[in-house]
Amino acid sequence: MCIHGKLLTALGFLLLPSVVATASAQQDDKPIVQNTPPGQFKKIPNLPDCITAAVEQGDPTKGASVLLVKGASGCKAPWHFHTPNEQVMMLSGVGRVEMKGEQAVSLRAGGFAYAPVKHVHQFTCVGGPCSFFLHSDAPFDIHYVDQGGNEISSEQALSKRHS
């Protein structure tokens, strides 16, 4: 990753604790039964502005976590990978998942996707807003790539001309 990208990721993770305020008090050995209030949804650093999330379990800055994610209609997380494994389960709407080297799939409520460590993929909410659970088995990160698979900064990936 370029120095600029590492700095942005580090700065982004400094902001992420505001998202985990409620979840960080939870412990893995305690049961969790909750309804997520609308005010818990926050912008996640280095993701498009049209995506918000609430932490349901864990602390995405320190380890495994489960996020409840909402995306606006047409919202796209362009080609990227994560250093942890990622699992997505659709709750509402339709999410188009494109994995490098695979056919694109439109996931509906109950649909599931798994991206192993560093597997390049992209996600788009199509036909309206969408929501899904995202499980990361280690601290959450995102690394954007260009068409050639080379890592690029968040600014480059999320700029209008790149989308």
Side-chain angles (χ1 to χ4, degrees):
M1 178 188 291
C2 65
I3 297 275
H4 190 251
K6 286 182 181 179
L7 178 61
L8 285 174
T9 299
L11 289 174
F13 283 121
L14 291 175
L15 300 173
L16 199 53
S18 66
V19 175
V20 300
T22 301
S24 63
Q26 300 166 348
Q27 306 217 353
D28 287 336
D29 61 345
K30 299 205 184 239
I32 300 170
V33 180
Q34 65 192 15
N35 290 303
T36 305
Q40 291 295 95
F41 287 86
K42 308 286 184 204
K43 163 103 176 66
I44 301 295
N46 300 320
L47 288 177
D49 290 339
C50 53
I51 293 176
T52 59
V55 177
E56 297 295 324
Q57 181 184 27
D59 180 343
T61 66
K62 295 179 181 171
S65 62
V66 176
L67 305 176
L68 176 52
V69 181
K70 292 183 179 183
S73 180
C75 187
K76 181 179 196 173
W79 293 107
H80 65 278
F81 67 86
H82 310 279
T83 53
N85 294 302
E86 177 184 59
Q87 298 176 45
V88 168
M89 181 168 282
M90 291 300 296
L91 293 174
S92 65
V94 179
R96 181 179 172 89
V97 178
E98 298 173 76
M99 300 276 188
K100 272 292 194 213
E102 304 290 330
Q103 282 282 78
V105 175
S106 292
L107 296 179
R108 296 178 181 357
F112 177 80
Y114 168 75
V117 170
K118 295 187 178 180
H119 191 85
V120 175
H121 60 284
Q122 67 179 353
F123 180 93
T124 308
C125 291
V126 295
C130 66
S131 63
F132 54 93
F133 283 112
L134 184 152
H135 174 262
S136 180
D137 65 3
F140 180 82
D141 62 15
I142 187 162
H143 302 267
Y144 293 102
V145 297
D146 63 17
Q147 293 295 327
N150 302 304
E151 195 164 347
I152 59 174
S153 71
S154 298
E155 288 83 14
Q156 289 173 297
L158 301 177
S159 70
K160 298 276 187 229
R161 60 194 164 95
H162 238 306
S163 299

